[in-house]
Amino acid sequence: MKFQIAINMERLDPSLDMKTVRDHTLDMVKMAEQGGFEIVWAAEHHAMEMTIAPNPFQLLTWWAEHTTTIRLGTAVAVAPYWSPIRLAGEAAMTDLLSNGRLEFGIGSGAYQREFDRMHPGLKQSDAWRYMQEMLPAVKALWAGDYAHDGEFWQFPTATSVPKPVQAEMPIWVAARAPITFDYAVKNGYNIQSWPLTRPMSEAELYMSRLNEAVANNPGKKRPEIAMMRHTAVYERPEDRAVPLAAVRRQLGQFENYFKNLGDVENGFAKEIPLDSLENRAEYDADMLTENLMFGTPEQVIEKIKGYEAIGVDSFIYYASLGLGHKEQKRSLELFCERVIPAFA
């Protein structure tokens, strides 16, 4: 089992100073590198304080200046918000400035609220088509001169300037649907999956989709798959109350963005009472403790062994869950000192 981390600049209300939020992410990245994490991931989101990342390549380039070994990934660059030439060049520049440490993650996007602002008229459910046109164009631009006449983008001969340092850029796609697993296997792309707050059976479902895609594409290499979960490690089982309250608060805001309710002021979403949701069973405290990567170091080790047993290659520690900065750092310390060594 290998370990990766996703960390966001995150504010759930205006009380946190933005520079403090900024500096906290760098502290976490440095801790993750020292503790043995292989990759750190930065997201792309717009007009929301819950994930402050209008350009993930800016964050990765900044982190690259303060690290030496940890690899730097986009999770994910949202294809419909970019042009192929710009995305190819931004990614290649980050690869150059980081001395060849970029992991290129691309996806379709998550929130209809963002599409309404970044690509008006596009339904989130149709965005995968943009991703599947974008990725071959970006790869062709990295290779040299290329002209494109597609459904969504058209441009005369151009190329990526600069070119990536890496001869073979590692590529990751965000996947939950069978069509995306099949696309990844066909093209040799690694896979990121996020079971959200759903039980282990959801992770098993994703693995079955991967295995089916491999079976349906004879001769194709099985790609790597990384599975992400909200993570909080604490000393005693009774210490779960603090991260539980934090994640439930964040999920209340997540539901607002996800349902596109429009109840957002100055980038902050109003928290939806979880007991008012039709899917409120997904946020039960005991269920969250069981399904998320919450627990003492010993409990977390046993949970990760379950992912290892079903064939997951890397676990993504999702650090951003509304938890206080002090608690986030203590959780990561415990993970580095007492969880990762169990998989050495």
Side-chain angles (χ1 to χ4, degrees):
M1 179 65 72
K2 294 176 289 186
F3 295 95
Q4 307 169 6
I5 186 168
I7 178 73
N8 300 325
M9 288 179 62
E10 169 191 73
R11 295 201 306 169
L12 301 189
D13 62 57
S15 63
L16 272 177
D17 176 72
M18 189 67 77
K19 291 180 181 178
T20 301
V21 173
R22 175 199 66 189
D23 294 344
H24 171 70
T25 66
L26 182 58
D27 290 344
M28 293 284 282
V29 171
K30 289 178 177 178
M31 289 173 61
E33 179 177 63
Q34 186 67 29
F37 282 81
E38 178 188 39
I39 303 172
V40 58
W41 298 102
E44 177 185 356
H45 283 291
H46 300 273
M48 59 173 64
E49 293 270 357
M50 194 170 75
T51 308
I52 306 162
N55 185 334
F57 299 107
Q58 287 179 314
L59 283 170
L60 298 178
T61 302
W62 176 49
W63 294 341
E65 286 295 299
H66 298 276
T67 57
T68 55
T69 58
I70 197 165
R71 295 186 61 79
L72 307 146
T74 51
V76 290
V78 183
Y81 303 162
W82 294 80
S83 71
I85 296 170
R86 184 179 175 208
L87 184 55
E90 291 266 11
M93 181 64 82
T94 299
D95 198 48
L96 173 65
L97 296 177
S98 67
N99 292 315
R101 284 192 277 155
L102 181 65
E103 301 275 325
F104 184 72
I106 188 168
S108 303
Y111 302 115
Q112 186 60 48
R113 182 179 195 278
E114 285 182 289
F115 284 104
D116 292 345
R117 289 152 179 80
M118 299 299 294
H119 201 303
L122 176 62
K123 292 182 179 179
Q124 190 276 338
S125 57
D126 293 332
W128 63 271
R129 297 164 58 211
Y130 286 73
M131 190 271 286
Q132 293 197 8
E133 181 177 328
M134 171 71 83
L135 194 42
V138 166
K139 291 177 66 180
L141 289 162
W142 284 338
D145 278 340
Y146 171 72
H148 186 78
D149 186 16
E151 181 179 359
F152 306 116
W153 297 281
Q154 303 82 35
F155 53 85
T157 301
T159 191
S160 173
V161 178
K163 300 291 189 299
V165 171
Q166 300 177 86
E168 287 291 331
M169 178 76 76
I171 294 174
W172 297 75
V173 296
R176 280 202 287 265
I179 190 172
T180 313
F181 280 93
D182 188 69
Y183 176 76
V185 171
K186 273 186 168 67
N187 292 281
Y189 304 143
N190 297 323
I191 293 168
Q192 301 167 331
S193 286
W194 184 18
L196 301 174
T197 64
R198 296 167 187 165
M200 188 66 178
S201 58
E202 186 78 2
E204 292 167 346
L205 174 64
Y206 297 157
M207 293 306 300
S208 70
R209 288 175 177 171
L210 172 59
N211 294 333
E212 183 177 356
V214 171
N216 291 339
N217 292 278
K220 295 292 184 180
K221 181 182 176 183
R222 177 196 181 278
E224 287 192 34
I225 182 167
M227 202 78 70
M228 182 164 73
R229 285 289 198 182
H230 286 89
T231 302
V233 189
Y234 34 82
E235 298 278 5
R236 306 167 302 166
E238 56 267 32
D239 293 337
R240 74 171 190 161
V242 172
L244 266 177
V247 77
R248 283 165 62 86
R249 179 189 182 196
Q250 189 201 51
L251 290 169
Q253 290 191 342
F254 171 83
E255 284 283 351
N256 192 323
Y257 289 124
F258 193 73
K259 295 181 186 301
N260 199 21
L261 298 182
D263 198 359
V264 179
E265 182 177 346
N266 202 28
F268 295 102
K270 182 179 179 181
E271 182 181 354
I272 299 176
L274 297 177
D275 58 7
S276 71
L277 297 172
E278 291 182 7
N279 59 331
R280 57 187 172 273
E282 294 185 19
Y283 302 119
D284 173 77
D286 290 337
M287 182 280 300
L288 288 171
T289 304
E290 176 65 25
N291 294 353
L292 303 182
M293 198 55 66
F294 281 18
T296 64
E298 294 71 27
Q299 290 171 329
V300 167
I301 288 168
E302 286 307 305
K303 287 184 179 182
I304 294 175
K305 284 181 178 178
Y307 290 89
E308 191 175 49
I310 63 173
V312 174
D313 300 295
S314 296
F315 173 72
I316 304 177
Y317 178 121
Y318 188 20
S320 303
L321 65 149
L323 196 60
H325 291 175
K326 179 181 177 182
E327 291 81 6
Q328 283 190 36
K329 287 178 178 177
R330 182 55 182 153
S331 171
L332 186 56
E333 284 176 356
L334 288 168
F335 196 92
C336 293
E337 293 171 2
R338 295 171 56 183
V339 175
I340 290 179
F343 296 89

